[in-house]
Amino acid sequence: MDISLFFRYNVKKCMQQMRDKRKGMYAMEVILQNLTKKFPSRDRKKRGEVVAVNDFNFVIPDGKLIGLLGPSGCGKSTTLNLISGLIKPTGGRILFGKDDVTDLPPEHRGIGLVFQNYALYPHLTVRQNITFPLENLKGKDRLSKSQMLQKAMEAARLVQIEELMDRKPGELSGGQQQRVAIARALVKRPKVLLLDEPLSNLDARLRLQTREEIRRIQRETGITTIFVTHDQEEAMSISDMIVVMKDGVAQQIGKPQEVYDSPANLFVARFLGTPPVNVFDGCVRNGKLYIGGDEVLETPGVSDTGERKVFAGVRPEGFLLQEDGPLRCGLKGVEVMGREISVVSGNSASLNPTVRAIISAENAERIFASEESAEGKAICVRFALVPRKVFLFDVETEKRISFAGKK
Amino acid sequence: MRKKRDSSNLKAWLYLAPALLFLGVFMIYPLVDVFIYSFEEGYNSASQTYFGTGVYNYSYVLHDPYFLQAVKNTFLLVMITVPLSTVIALLISVGLHSITPFRNFLQTVYFLPYVTNTLAVGLVFMILFKKTEYSDGFVNVLIRWFGGESVDFISGPYWAKMFVLCFYTIWVVMPFKILILTSALASVSQEYYNAARVDGTSKFRIFRRITLPMISPMIFYLVITGFIGAFKAYSDAVALFGTDLNAAEMNTIVGYVYDMLYGDSGGYPSYASAAAIILFAIVLTITCINLLVSRKKAHV
């Protein structure tokens, strides 16, 4: 046989095997219905409860990577623990596919859980840590020693830690421990993989690497994966979908880019993006947006009776440096970031202490020139706004008000 | 450079001097002295004289039936109370750790024996176990109520006295062990238990595979100090059976040493020294074995 043909045949067979394997690790839709968790108040004298998760409805699609995102104390970890079964909900149902698992203990849900601090057993080797979940299987699921080792090896290969099997967790770096924890969670072929702040204990460089790693593992196994994070960049970069939470309420659910481009309310707009969105006190009059007296943008379709006060959010990349731009700000400084520059300025209507605009570095010359010529005197920069990057929010409800040309 | 190091060395020794002085005077000198006495036949502490040197003291002590009785008692006491008290303390600690209501109250209750005077506790045990013309003691009342034969625990058969001594010792050493073990249990992170729960680990397996290995350093610490403490037992026996322990067949090695020095038959520092050195050798051997085992078995 021709050697290249033989090779091609082998590759084909390999691919087929991989596909079969993926089918074996079948994934699951996770459905949360009116999920609610209330904790009794810590203060005994004060009656009342802390609502950690409030009426959460979400269908997590099969085989996707979902990021639960929010500031600390927003109920994202509680949501994860509810799905894992470590805590029982006060109300609502959790379904995996067609099975109602609300009342099932964690071990019968078919989940893999990776803890924030990994929770690797320090007295066991990596191999023993990974086989630990398998040793609990009883009855017809019971595995022989060699089967266990084989499965452990498979999981280890998936996260690329085969050469560390005889070490103890204390002898591993943070990133390696993280992989071991993922291998341990995957070894039982869970239907759902849950990760609690998976990257928070890693340094910046490892974080980048590990989040790609998590993405790869999720793609390779096709397991529905839910992870919790407070880092919006982390969540946006690898998730198929993100859920932004605040005070136990899911604020917005959607694809990362969609949520970024059209936030449902002021909180979501502020939470996503670095540098954060610039928020101004503004008002809409006759279909036009005014910020601090400047008429900055046409906003057709906003219902206003005479004059309507709004919060106007402008993404840093939504500013265009223009000599006759409508928005006037006092220049405070310029920060060079290499690829682009960040123009820091002040505006009396701004709710943020400074207005930050990200400008492509090619346009930097003018700014630098004007900064130098000013010689310490206050100078004015003028911006035009990109309508797509401007969001209006109701002052009362903080919900977004759409205007024409935007959804 | 060298000079500087010398002077800093000098300083170090200067700072160490008070501690070394006290250790030398009150620990090392007496130890060496006891070792020397044990080889001096018929040493008299008043006249500071002796007949000769040799191993006669050891030979005498090892052939003394009272000493052999004391060794037997001590070994029985050690072998029964150390494992039993550790296991029971472990069970109580696990129980205390897993309940929430009344935990503080119960912890206090279990700690009470630790702060109670040995002799006072001895008195309580007398009331529980002693049989007099007027009363049978509380335990005997119980035994009879269940249809058993009453037993004189304080001056009756050997096994009954040994039982009381062991019971007493276990009860006295328990609080400290419970204190250490509950804090050891509390230091095991809840995440490990959660991880085990997600994997469907049974309660027993969690205990055996996770809890026990994690607190094993503390358990070994308790076993080693427990052995040493039990070998040095003396006051417990006195509290229960009075000072004439030889007559009660309840003497311990330390008791024997004391009797040889100050007891009614006392005034033999040479024999006392020989017995003390033998005890030292026994404790040293057992502790070495313990350390070797713990280094192999305990994690971390």
Side-chain angles (χ1 to χ4, degrees), chain A residues 86 107 113 115-117 119-124 132-133 135-136 188, chain B residues 191-192 194-202 205 209-210 213-214 299:
Chain A
L86 283 174
E107 65 265 30
L113 182 53
F115 291 84
Q116 186 171 2
N117 301 316
L120 297 173
Y121 308 122
H123 55 286
L124 303 179
F132 193 89
E135 287 166 27
N136 296 321
K188 265 166 85 174
Chain B
E191 271 203 340
Y192 296 120
N194 281 344
R197 256 179 76 202
V198 169
D199 296 332
T201 319
S202 66
R205 241 177 75 83
R209 292 289 309 272
I210 297 167
M214 295 265 222
H299 103 93

Side-chain angles (χ1 to χ4, degrees), chain A residues 9 30 139 148 184 212 226 228 236 246 282 299 393 401 406:
Chain A
Y9 170 73
V30 176
M148 278 188 213
R184 183 176 68 180
E212 280 158 25
I226 303 162
V228 158
M236 299 223 292
K246 182 198 171 193
T299 53
F393 302 99
I401 310 159
K406 297 189 66 174

